[in-house]
Amino acid sequence: MANERLRDALMHAGHSTATAADQVGVDAKTVERWLTQDRVPYPRHRGALAALVDRSESYLWPDAVPAQRQKKAATSEIVETFPHRSDVPLHLWDDLLQRSSERIDVLVHAGQFLHERAGFISTVKAKAESGVDVRIAFGAPESTATELRSTEEKLGPGVLGARIRYGLASYRPLLHTAGVEFRFHETTLYNSIFRFDDEMIVNMHVFGVPGPHAPAMHLRKLAAGDVFDTYERSFVDVWELSKPAEW
């Protein structure tokens, strides 16, 4: 049986069997066997491949990582939990942003608290200009999902959509910055996601509770874990369903 997860991950990472073999330190025929015969690599090779394609070992080889190790890795990926998003220390947001060197992903409805931070927009712009890929997905202001969330959080009709429109003005300096892309989503937002390379803040949403008052957790990606990957895939799924944002 072919390992389609590994094949897909290599393709999306831009690797052929030859380049993957070179990076991992094996023969190209060995990589081909991993793909076509579903052979399981040795642990050291699994770790190198997982890092190469930015996927967890447990995702690429579900039966190869012992359940106890998966459980331990999942627990270890959770750096800290907070009873409310507003309890996340300001210095943590700043540190995560400053340390980003490859990717910044943001999935929110409005995310006002971000652009209200002094220097947030200018820092994102500088990061993008230095080669960091930035993707920000807002709730579509006039969508049914946004209006429903506005009602559920007891904000009132049209309030959340207005907040989104208001916040967009702050992002105008980034509109023509290479490496920065904005989209509107119309999904039910179960979590707001803030990814900075291999670390992430996830703000869980609770019915009737505004985002700042709902719990949040700080995650750090591990090769054998899949909690980080779960939220990463969720972001990508929403992103692919989203449309380019129109100001």
Side-chain angles (χ1 to χ4, degrees):
M1 182 183 295
N3 189 331
E4 296 299 339
R5 289 186 176 185
L6 179 58
R7 187 189 303 278
D8 183 72
L10 285 171
M11 181 184 69
H12 278 86
H15 284 287
S16 64
T17 54
T19 60
D22 184 61
Q23 291 292 320
V24 176
V26 297
D27 188 88
K29 291 182 179 179
T30 299
V31 177
E32 188 64 32
R33 284 193 290 272
W34 292 340
L35 290 171
T36 60
Q37 300 177 29
D38 201 17
R39 297 277 186 90
V40 178
Y42 290 120
R44 67 179 184 276
H45 294 145
R46 291 203 304 267
L49 271 172
L52 182 66
V53 300
D54 197 26
R55 291 289 185 272
S56 68
E57 290 181 46
S58 57
Y59 171 76
L60 295 172
W61 302 280
D63 299 327
V65 182
Q68 188 60 32
R69 185 186 173 202
Q70 289 188 40
K71 181 179 178 181
K72 186 175 181 179
T75 302
S76 298
E77 283 191 305
I78 303 173
V79 179
E80 189 172 1
T81 58
F82 304 92
H84 314 106
R85 192 197 68 210
S86 57
D87 293 326
V88 178
L90 296 178
H91 71 79
L92 178 57
W93 291 108
D94 294 338
D95 289 347
L96 293 174
L97 179 60
Q98 291 291 347
R99 293 202 305 267
S100 299
S101 60
E102 297 180 0
R103 175 166 300 287
I104 296 171
D105 288 334
V106 176
L107 172 63
V108 291
H109 266 125
Q112 271 184 283
F113 75 100
L114 287 176
H115 65 78
E116 289 175 348
R117 292 280 296 149
F120 174 77
I121 298 298
S122 60
T123 302
V124 171
K125 184 176 179 65
K127 288 291 180 179
E129 290 173 342
S130 69
V132 176
D133 291 323
V134 180
R135 298 182 293 185
I136 303 177
F138 300 105
E142 285 78 37
S143 71
T144 301
T146 296
E147 186 60 21
L148 180 60
R149 179 55 60 87
S150 190
T151 301
E152 291 174 348
E153 292 191 1
K154 301 178 176 63
L155 298 175
V159 174
L160 183 55
R163 287 185 179 180
I164 295 169
R165 286 292 183 193
Y166 164 77
L168 292 177
S170 298
Y171 288 90
R172 288 191 182 279
L174 301 177
L175 277 180
H176 303 294
T177 302
V180 179
E181 187 175 358
F182 297 97
R183 291 190 183 181
F184 282 156
H185 69 86
E186 299 186 14
T187 60
T188 300
L189 195 63
Y190 298 102
N191 304 276
S192 290
I193 297 173
F194 310 88
R195 179 190 179 181
F196 307 89
D197 290 346
D198 288 342
E199 295 188 63
M200 183 184 290
I201 301 291
V202 177
N203 182 193
M204 291 80 81
H205 292 300
V206 181
F207 184 89
V209 178
H213 301 160
M217 59 182 173
H218 175 198
L219 304 177
R220 184 177 290 120
K221 182 181 178 69
L222 295 177
D226 61 5
V227 176
F228 187 101
D229 275 6
T230 295
Y231 287 105
E232 179 188 0
R233 289 196 298 272
S234 177
F235 176 89
V236 171
D237 288 344
V238 173
W239 185 258
E240 291 180 349
L241 290 172
S242 303
K243 299 177 181 179
E246 296 180 358
W247 259 251

